[in-house]
Amino acid sequence: MSLLQTFATLVLAWAVWQVFRAFIAKSALDNILDQNRLLGGEVTPLFVLRRLPLTVCLGNLDQLFDRHGWKFQDDLGERYGPVVKLQSLLGRKALFVFDPLALQNIIIKDQYIYEPPEWATTSFALVFGPGVLATYGERHRRQRKMLNPVFSIKHMRYMTPIFYRVAYNLQEGIKNHINDAPKDIDLLHWVHRTALELVGQGGLGYSFDSLKEDVPYTAYARAMKDLIASLFHLTPYRLWTPYFKKLGPKWFRRWLLDRVPIQGIQRLKEMTDVVYENTRRVFFEKKAALEAGDAAVKEQVANGKDIMSILLRENMKASDEDKLSEEELLGQMSLLVFAATDTTTSALAQTFQLLAQHRDVQEKVRAEIKEAKLKARGDIPHDELMALPYLDSICRETLRMYPPVTFMTRETRKDVLMPLSQPIRGVNGQLMSEIPVPKATTILVGVRASNMNASIWGEDVKEWKPERWLDKLPESVTDAHLPGVYSNLMTFNGGGRSCVGFKFSQLEMKVVMAVLLESFDFSMPDNGKDVVWNLAGVRYPTVGRESKFAEFPMKVTPIDT
Ligand code: HEM
Ligand SMILES: *[C@@H]1O[C@H](CO)[C@@H](O)[C@H](O)[C@H]1NC(C)=O
């Protein structure tokens, strides 16, 4: 054998070892019970054989990132206990976690050990630029320091009239469209346009859409809408983005990307371009207005009091070490729109579906809104609207049972001990009250699993019951000390990476509901079109299981006022 051959053999052996070592090497997680994927479905020898290559390569990832994988998610929450071991790429280990004490450590105490995985931040950075979802550690902390104050309650109060104005445009748009008679509409389309317009006006100080007519999605809206599902499906490819980023300069990577023969990736590239062009256009208009001085700013939508204008102004004043670069500001804008639009759209569509299915609840909340409006002699002001008890219970209960973000992904940056509120039994039969988690373990935070934990919420956990929020919550809820920023729920996350826009989204949901419920009755269409909710980074509805087009048909009937 020549020296070259020996060398090549050694390199190959090393590569094979790298690829397969996770299957053989001992791990501190060996003692954690496995969710044996092969026992999950119908286990015929043929099934086992057919799945073997997939199992070896993807582990449970294809089940986890399956848009119809609700059963798998439910099983994770109900069948195996608060920590379940799963397989990730090439035998690497992942833990699905929703034990309350473990969550506290992941989300708050050890949040700088449990960071988003590098593949997630890198792929967000490639698609949107280096905004909050694309950074971690010190850089992320610095970005949040600038962003947090802009989302204060005080600012939400200021923005309430803008929210109402947009919601009335929506009301008028639907009215014009249905022409005073009951009609089936794609509610998702209207709500998505509204959510985009609200983050446009309130977030960017920019109007995308007058909402007064039924027009198709613009290229920008369509891109923002399709990105979530696209990113979810492409997860197995996104796992490789940290390596892709190291391949060379931007133009070279672009050249390579243009040659990737995968349709989903080409479509993602197109969407990325559309988002980038639009964000740049808005950004430079704003910057020009700010530089031209106060008069020009006043001309802008929201009088220059939108989130980005404030951020730009604060940024000019900030010390050099806190200052965000232009690239970061652009990334911040795109990510803000992305994070704001699908999430609230999904939550609103789900709420209207539940209101259609529970007519008594719809009538009761409509009465509450009408009374408050009468009392206010006009639009219900911010604080009163937020305090309407029944409306609030409906939002909380919907966000508990149907959190738009079903689970979140993290990765340990070093070895860490994960304590548990109650010990679990290991493979060796012994109880353990903490888990030694090695560096580079994928952690899946079970948002919905935590919201649906019967030991916390009670035996009626699977019933949609707004009333549970009107009474005192069970002690088990407060005792669990969940780290969520909102209502003991994990829906908006907690800690340094909690949803920065959660008050914004609350206001949005309530203003839209108050304005629409006042003038329309909502029911499911007569032809009973089968709406299916799909799992993704943010869950979305389609008509039937096969369709990939997010929509939500609803029958809307005008109410005489
Ligand atoms: C019902 C609506 C919403 C839900 C359920 C929701 C949920 C979440 C969750 C779970 C996260 C954490 C994701 C993770 O770390 O993996 C998050 C982050 C974020 N959300 Fe929301 N969100 C909603 C609406 C909004 C709105 C309206 C905005 C903006 C106006 C917004 C802006 C953001 C941003 C910027 C982040 C990234 C924060 C960071 O990483 O520091 N969200 N959201
Ligand atoms: C549910 O919550 C309880 C009480 O906080 C916790 O001990 C348990 O680990 C959680 N998970 C399951 C599956 O019960």
Side-chain angles (χ1 to χ4, degrees):
M1 225 172 10
S2 75
L3 200 63
L4 196 68
Q5 275 172 326
T6 316
F7 182 69
T9 315
L10 281 177
V11 169
L12 193 71
W14 180 81
V16 170
W17 168 244
Q18 286 300 317
V19 169
F20 288 105
R21 74 182 163 156
F23 287 104
I24 310 154
K26 285 220 169 314
S27 154
L29 297 178
D30 289 345
N31 197 26
I32 310 294
L33 282 170
D34 215 311
Q35 187 280 343
N36 189 336
R37 73 198 316 270
L38 292 178
L39 295 179
E42 349 92 69
V43 203
T44 61
L46 191 69
F47 175 82
V48 173
L49 214 65
R50 220 181 45 217
R51 295 218 51 122
L52 203 61
L54 207 63
T55 309
V56 170
C57 296
L58 285 182
N60 298 103
L61 290 184
D62 66 314
Q63 291 166 304
L64 207 55
F65 290 93
D66 171 6
R67 68 178 174 131
H68 299 307
W70 292 108
K71 166 109 181 35
F72 186 72
Q73 294 282 333
D74 284 347
D75 282 353
L76 286 177
E78 292 163 22
R79 280 180 57 181
Y80 308 102
V83 179
V84 196
K85 187 168 68 187
L86 299 174
Q87 302 293 329
S88 164
L89 273 194
L90 299 171
R92 280 152 182 78
K93 313 273 183 291
L95 293 178
F96 183 89
V97 184
F98 62 103
D99 176 83
L101 185 58
L103 289 183
Q104 266 202 40
N105 277 259
I106 296 170
I107 303 297
I108 296 180
K109 185 169 160 280
D110 292 328
Q111 57 179 297
Y112 295 108
I113 298 175
Y114 297 93
E115 293 277 18
E118 189 134 0
W119 62 262
T121 50
T122 309
S123 47
F124 278 134
L126 289 173
V127 173
F128 298 103
V132 266
L133 278 169
T135 57
Y136 53 84
E138 196 43 50
R139 190 173 188 197
H140 177 263
R141 205 168 359 185
R142 195 169 50 92
Q143 292 187 351
R144 279 297 293 250
K145 195 172 143 192
M146 297 285 291
L147 216 50
N148 283 339
V150 194
F151 283 93
S152 67
I153 280 277
K154 188 171 150 239
H155 196 59
M156 294 306 129
R157 285 192 192 112
Y158 174 81
M159 286 206 285
T160 306
I162 300 179
F163 277 54
Y164 273 115
R165 204 159 57 225
V166 172
Y168 284 122
N169 289 347
L170 166 69
Q171 187 189 51
E172 199 182 323
I174 296 182
K175 252 188 197 142
N176 293 341
H177 178 56
I178 66 174
N179 209 358
D180 274 337
K183 189 167 174 174
D184 291 356
I185 65 169
D186 174 8
L187 188 73
L188 194 86
H189 177 67
W190 289 95
V191 170
H192 188 277
R193 286 172 61 192
T194 309
L196 183 60
E197 179 61 7
L198 274 172
V199 69
Q201 293 208 16
L204 310 183
Y206 190 87
S207 176
F208 291 108
D209 187 346
S210 78
L211 285 165
K212 297 205 174 150
E213 284 164 83
D214 181 37
V215 291
Y217 290 106
T218 59
Y220 179 64
R222 186 70 203 257
M224 278 296 181
K225 170 170 178 272
D226 292 348
L227 266 166
I228 265 282
S230 162
L231 286 168
F232 192 69
H233 297 310
L234 294 174
T235 302
Y237 300 108
R238 285 168 69 201
L239 297 173
W240 305 98
T241 48
Y243 307 102
F244 176 75
K245 215 179 159 193
K246 290 191 186 119
L247 282 182
K250 223 177 195 165
W251 64 264
F252 176 66
R253 283 186 272 128
R254 179 71 189 206
W255 182 86
L256 274 182
L257 193 63
D258 286 340
R259 275 147 193 84
V260 174
I262 298 167
Q263 210 193 352
I265 292 182
Q266 292 306 325
R267 172 80 187 112
L268 179 64
K269 188 189 78 186
E270 286 160 26
M271 292 190 273
T272 302
D273 289 346
V274 170
V275 169
Y276 184 68
E277 280 156 27
N278 279 277
T279 309
R280 275 181 73 84
R281 188 164 44 82
V282 177
F283 178 77
F284 286 110
E285 277 180 32
K286 297 203 76 61
K287 213 172 148 218
L290 274 177
E291 278 160 6
D294 280 349
V297 170
K298 287 250 158 57
E299 301 261 301
Q300 297 247 303
V301 178
N303 291 332
K305 291 242 178 141
D306 60 276
I307 286 163
M308 277 316 290
S309 296
I310 299 177
L311 196 62
L312 284 176
R313 247 180 264 132
E314 288 301 312
N315 201 47
M316 288 177 181
K317 285 189 278 175
S319 66
D320 278 348
E321 82 189 271
D322 282 343
K323 234 190 230 345
L324 304 183
S325 66
E326 197 152 275
E327 208 196 0
E328 282 176 293
L329 290 167
L330 281 166
Q332 226 60 276
M333 284 173 78
S334 296
L335 275 169
L336 204 62
V337 175
F338 173 72
T341 314
D342 283 301
T343 43
T344 316
T345 302
S346 167
L348 270 168
Q350 180 63 74
T351 312
F352 279 104
Q353 179 177 31
L354 289 158
L355 291 179
Q357 288 162 344
H358 299 81
R359 302 222 45 95
D360 51 328
V361 178
Q362 184 176 158
E363 269 142 39
K364 204 168 146 190
V365 71
R366 183 175 291 119
E368 185 184 69
I369 290 163
K370 280 190 169 163
E371 197 191 310
K373 197 166 173 185
L374 221 59
K375 214 167 118 196
R377 294 161 192 249
D379 292 337
I380 311 165
H382 178 276
D383 292 10
E384 283 75 4
L385 181 68
M386 296 316 276
L388 288 181
Y390 203 55
L391 181 63
D392 193 52
S393 309
I394 291 170
C395 293
R396 280 175 210 257
E397 183 66 348
T398 306
L399 290 166
R400 179 184 72 80
M401 273 188 79
Y402 305 99
V405 179
T406 309
F407 64 88
M408 297 180 294
T409 316
R410 296 291 185 262
E411 192 176 82
T412 48
R413 294 297 155 99
K414 55 181 182 188
D415 294 353
V416 61
L417 277 178
M418 182 195 284
L420 302 172
S421 68
Q422 269 167 32
I424 57 169
R425 205 169 284 284
V427 175
N428 66 6
Q430 277 167 12
L431 287 175
M432 53 181 138
S433 54
E434 52 187 16
I435 301 173
V437 185
K439 180 179 167 174
T441 305
T442 300
I443 305 290
L444 303 153
V445 178
V447 171
R448 181 159 185 270
S450 172
N451 293 354
M452 297 290 278
N453 181 343
S455 332
I456 295 179
W457 295 95
E459 284 315 308
D460 58 359
V461 73
K462 286 190 167 176
E463 286 167 54
W464 186 72
K465 253 192 187 170
E467 284 74 19
R468 82 171 76 235
W469 298 93
L470 296 174
D471 305 333
K472 204 166 153 289
L473 289 172
E475 253 163 42
S476 48
V477 175
T478 29
D479 288 350
H481 298 293
L482 288 156
V485 279
Y486 172 73
S487 294
N488 302 295
L489 300 174
M490 291 308 298
T491 308
F492 292 97
N493 196 10
R497 301 196 77 95
S498 61
C499 175
V500 77
F502 92 93
K503 292 188 197 102
F504 190 107
S505 86
Q506 290 288 288
L507 180 61
E508 174 170 346
M509 284 180 75
K510 289 179 176 179
V511 167
V512 168
M513 283 167 74
V515 168
L516 290 190
L517 284 168
E518 178 193 27
S519 35
F520 306 110
D521 179 88
F522 292 88
S523 51
M524 296 314 282
D526 299 327
N527 60 11
K529 275 192 195 152
D530 182 24
V531 172
V532 175
W533 283 89
N534 299 262
L535 196 70
V538 175
R539 62 204 291 278
Y540 62 94
T542 51
V543 172
R545 283 170 65 90
E546 300 313 316
S547 164
K548 289 202 164 159
F549 182 74
E551 60 182 322
F552 195 89
M554 248 198 154
K555 184 169 157 189
V556 178
T557 310
I559 298 176
D560 289 328
T561 36

